[in-house]
Amino acid sequence: MTEKREYEDDYPDKTLYIPGPTEVREDVIEEMSQPMFGHRTDRMTDLYTTIVEDTKEFLGTDNDAIVLTGSGTEFMESSILNLVDEHVLCTTCGSFSERQANIADRLGTSVDRLEYEWGTAVKPEDVRETLEGSDVDYDVVTCVMNESSTGVRNPIEEIGDVVAEYPDTYFVVDAVSALGGDYVDIDAHGIDVIFTSVQKAFAMPPGLAVCVVSEGAYERELESDSASWYGGFQRCLDYYDRKGQTHSTPAIPIMLAYRKQMKHMLEEGHEARDERHREMAEYTREWAREHFAMFPEEGYESQTVSCIENTRGIDVAATIEAVSEEYDVVFSNGYGSALGEKTFRIGHMGEHDLESIRALTDAIEDVADL
């Protein structure tokens, strides 16, 4: 039985380099202290329509966008409920792509897995071969854009181009740890559903999930008998069209913060934000290869999370603790028991830049005596 551990008021501040949550601007946090107002007022309509349309503008999409209170897992689940009648093909290469397959299993759909060894990326030609050779017609193909457990960035653009050749099959992308820090042209590559959580590359406090939905996916859900109630595309989008609001009470303070952060992101621009993340990723990879090795398959490394192979056999847990205590910065161990000491991870996403990433790697070098 878990015992209560009283929350105190004297925790030291730590700069976060984990795969989320990440650092948040002070003026974004301050937005959450505004006086409360009703979620069925004109003020709420102004707020929600602003964040929805700003999200579409930032991402450069003509598809519909939904911003809901919740984690990205909400859309991981609802996309299956909304679009799958029977058969789904889940590409798996790490913990979070496996989670999507497990959710589909629990929802009672017929799940086939196109499985890869952890650290290896999904290949478009394998997806094509699977679709061509299958005895069933898949309703959906799923893929994780950025497998943060292994640091793999899957080629979702090329995979989307393959799936687009099958007009009755919909492409669902988990972009939780990438969107906002790794540019993707959603509309150009047949991505029917792509979702994220704002506490990652959007550099927000946790609490909101963002989903972009194609017209085809919306129409597909209209034919479904088992669509999600909370995360249903029709329910969310129709209510927005009628009222300019969410169908259920939202986390208003987080949405106020999101409005402020999205203005920052629009000012920087999607391509410039992508380039900043690319620079951080390239620096981190060079540093990792100098002192350790990269864990993911070469050429498929993440732009937002570097998973580094512990080739020197350092005590990862002890190093993380020492860096935290001595420098007040926090990075992450490997994901789960399989990779916990074999790898460690650096999140270079959100509002970080080259200077702040160098501060972390300098701290690691000092503590680990590299």
Side-chain angles (χ1 to χ4, degrees):
M1 172 103 33
T2 300
E3 296 182 358
K4 178 183 179 182
R5 291 176 47 173
E6 189 69 32
Y7 187 85
E8 306 292 343
D9 295 320
D10 58 350
Y11 300 99
D13 291 332
K14 306 284 184 179
T15 302
L16 301 177
Y17 298 87
I18 58 179
T22 187
E23 292 296 294
V24 182
R25 292 171 180 260
E26 286 188 12
D27 64 344
V28 172
I29 293 175
E30 289 170 358
E31 287 293 303
M32 295 189 292
S33 64
Q34 293 188 37
M36 190 50 54
F37 53 89
H39 69 292
R40 295 291 178 241
T41 61
D42 288 344
R43 183 175 177 180
M44 187 66 226
T45 304
D46 293 347
L47 173 60
Y48 192 63
T49 57
T50 296
I51 64 175
V52 167
E53 298 307 318
D54 281 357
T55 300
K56 292 171 61 176
E57 180 182 350
F58 174 79
L59 294 175
T61 182
D62 292 326
N63 291 341
D64 290 314
I66 302 168
V67 183
L68 276 188
T69 302
S71 73
T73 309
E74 164 57 35
F75 289 115
M76 186 181 287
E77 181 176 60
S78 64
S79 61
I80 301 297
L81 280 169
N82 297 343
L83 300 178
V84 179
D85 279 343
E86 188 171 2
H87 299 286
V88 57
L89 176 64
C90 295
T91 61
T92 63
C93 60
S95 178
F96 294 97
S97 49
E98 282 287 349
R99 178 179 297 180
Q100 177 74 90
N102 291 338
I103 287 173
D105 271 330
R106 289 176 64 89
L107 292 174
T109 63
S110 174
V111 180
D112 288 337
R113 288 170 167 81
L114 178 56
E115 296 179 281
Y116 293 83
E117 183 180 355
W118 283 31
T120 303
V122 178
K123 305 301 188 298
E125 57 270 24
D126 294 340
V127 175
R128 182 187 301 280
E129 182 178 345
T130 302
L131 292 175
E132 288 179 348
S134 175
D135 294 330
V136 302
D137 294 324
Y138 291 109
D139 299 310
V140 162
V141 173
T142 70
C143 189
V144 172
M145 177 176 174
N146 193 76
E147 182 55 79
S148 58
S149 64
T150 62
V152 165
R153 202 288 197 180
N154 285 311
I156 59 165
E157 294 87 350
E158 292 84 353
I159 296 168
D161 292 342
V162 170
V163 178
E165 298 175 17
Y166 297 80
D168 294 326
T169 301
Y170 295 83
F171 188 36
V172 173
V173 175
D174 169 353
V176 165
S177 58
L179 204 63
D182 186 343
Y183 179 85
V184 56
D185 190 331
I186 297 169
D187 299 6
H189 296 286
I191 299 172
D192 293 290
V193 177
I194 186 168
F195 56 86
T196 191
S197 295
V198 298
Q199 76 274 14
K200 308 280 188 173
F202 276 42
M204 275 280 299
L208 299 178
V210 177
C211 186
V212 176
V213 182
S214 73
E215 182 178 356
Y218 172 86
E219 295 292 337
R220 168 66 173 157
E221 191 209 292
L222 298 183
E223 304 170 3
S224 175
D225 296 326
S226 59
S228 169
W229 193 92
Y230 186 71
F233 302 148
Q234 179 187 11
R235 184 171 175 78
C236 292
L237 294 174
D238 285 4
Y239 202 92
Y240 180 72
D241 284 342
R242 293 196 311 272
K243 301 287 188 179
Q245 299 174 353
T246 57
H247 58 68
S248 300
T249 308
I252 295 173
I254 307 293
M255 288 189 172
L256 287 165
Y258 185 83
R259 182 196 67 85
K260 185 73 169 181
Q261 175 61 6
M262 187 50 63
K263 297 300 184 186
H264 286 307
M265 292 170 67
L266 285 168
E267 182 179 2
E268 182 177 17
H270 200 171
E271 292 185 0
R273 197 171 179 87
D274 174 83
E275 179 59 29
R276 177 166 57 81
H277 281 75
R278 181 177 292 110
E279 290 175 353
M280 291 189 291
E282 290 173 350
Y283 165 78
T284 307
R285 291 174 204 148
E286 291 174 6
W287 176 85
R289 288 171 179 137
E290 178 183 353
H291 298 288
F292 300 93
M294 291 296 293
F295 181 75
E297 179 181 359
E298 186 174 358
Y300 296 93
E301 299 92 346
S302 165
Q303 190 163 290
T304 54
V305 180
S306 285
C307 185
I308 299 167
E309 188 173 358
N310 182 17
T311 55
R312 301 171 77 111
I314 66 170
D315 186 326
V316 170
T319 302
I320 291 171
E321 183 176 1
V323 168
S324 174
E325 290 299 315
E326 296 180 29
Y327 290 92
D328 287 328
V329 297
V330 182
F331 64 106
S332 181
N333 60 352
Y335 194 87
S337 58
L339 298 179
E341 282 289 326
K342 294 179 180 179
T343 64
F344 61 91
R345 296 174 297 157
I346 294 175
H348 33 77
M349 63 173 72
E351 298 307 312
H352 282 301
D353 55 23
L354 276 177
E355 182 179 355
S356 66
I357 298 300
R358 286 194 183 100
L360 171 65
T361 56
D362 287 347
I364 296 172
E365 287 182 30
D366 180 42
V367 168
D369 195 23
L370 301 181

